[in-house]
Amino acid sequence: MAFIMLGALYFLPAALPFLFNASSFAIGTIASLILFWFFYGMGWTPRRTAGMSDIGWLWAIGTAVFAVLHLVVASQIGTIDIGRALSSLTMLIFMIVSAALIADTLFVIEDRALMRTMTLLALVFFGIAAMSIAGIQPPTQSIGEKPIFPYTEPSFFALTFAPVLIFLCVSSPLWLRLIWLGAGVVLALLLANLTLMVAVLLAAIVSLPLIILIPTLLAAVSFASLLDLSYFTDRINFTLTSNNLSTLVYLQGWQLLDESLRNTLGWGLGFQQLGIGYTNVPASIRLNQLIGFDLNLTDGSFIFAKIGSEFGIFGIIFSVFALYLSIKSFVVLRYVARGKKIIPASLLLCYAILLGSLVELLVRGANYFTGSMVLFLSACFFLLRFRRIRSGEIG
């Protein structure tokens, strides 16, 4: 059940855009949640307490009310697509309630079962990447470069793989951590993907002892000087003269955030309104010159750009809170990796999810309705419940 639940959230949302060129991950994410609800309703998914459902509904309704009120004010500032906002709001409510129930199931998954599940998921990730490199995968109509079934591009592979890699590196013996990290580096080089390299670096920093981490990084820098890393250097050339689409999309995200904040005086465009109205940022113009159409306008390229553009100062506050959770998770995971703290595997997974969310928050994201975003919310609900249990508020 753990493998089906997590596997559906990791792989199903991306499969539909890959196979049918769907516009977003939303349909696949909803499908994976419907599958979870089916198992939950049949009693095949264990649960700890019915109270998580009430908490989920409370947060879902509160979030919906806030989004609607914010949208009402945003409509007085600029033009909005109310139909898009309301349909997405329905999905958001469903996603938040589902995330609370998924957190409920994480409480009762045994440590050994979860360890086996995460190891198997990692092997699946490496397997599909190897098949992509070998050219063994279904055809796709997506314009994404170097698709890895079921992901239309390696960056989506990386942002979903990051928590899995972090979990295994922190919980494994040192020799196995080095194997996981080495395999990750090889994949990042073969796929020529900077997002995956960032995920591997994050896992290395949180899991390796300094006596090994520092020499390893120095050796990696020396070895890198012998390789042709022009693709990676092009990715960090944040100028409008770049021909790299990923770089321009990332630059566009920051420019859209700046434009939205200035045009709305910090209030934001409103829920799901990014890319709907007129925009005139230099990176978008450059992308149109190169490929003849807009790219990633509605998702902002990474979550901070999207939520900051749509919710203004409130989105920035949420992003700062998410960053705080990531830093807190890093500290806890670092203690666990050094053997100074022992925590349940489910709690370890939640911290790994929160730390791995940095990739989606600041490097590369899709939209709000992804499996990784569901797991981020589930991790938050889990920590909220865990804290209340530890403080004695509830049993």
Side-chain angles (χ1 to χ4, degrees), residues 299-369:
D299 63 35
S301 179
F302 52 99
I303 292 299
F304 177 55
K306 182 171 178 63
I307 198 170
S309 296
E310 294 185 345
F311 288 98
I313 186 63
F314 303 104
I316 294 174
I317 292 172
F318 172 84
S319 299
V320 170
F321 177 68
L323 181 61
Y324 162 76
L325 290 178
S326 297
I327 295 173
K328 179 180 179 180
S329 299
F330 176 88
V331 173
V332 174
L333 291 172
R334 186 71 183 163
Y335 272 107
V336 174
R338 294 169 60 190
K340 294 188 175 182
K341 192 178 185 70
I342 299 176
I343 60 177
S346 53
L347 182 59
L348 177 63
L349 174 59
C350 290
Y351 282 128
I353 290 170
L354 293 174
L355 179 58
S357 68
L358 274 179
V359 177
E360 194 165 7
L361 180 69
L362 297 174
V363 181
R364 184 68 173 105
N367 53 51
Y368 301 131
F369 304 105

Side-chain angles (χ1 to χ4, degrees), residues 8 43 121-122 139 142 188 192 218 223 247 377:
L121 283 173
S142 169
L218 293 176
F223 179 70
T247 301
L377 294 175

Side-chain angles (χ1 to χ4, degrees), residues 133 146 182-194 196-197 223-224 227-229 231-232:
I133 293 170
K146 302 184 294 293
V185 170
V186 171
L187 272 188
L189 291 174
L190 291 176
L191 295 170
N193 185 254
L194 184 61
L196 182 54
M197 191 65 78
F223 179 70
L227 302 176
D228 180 13
L229 301 177
Y231 176 83
F232 292 97

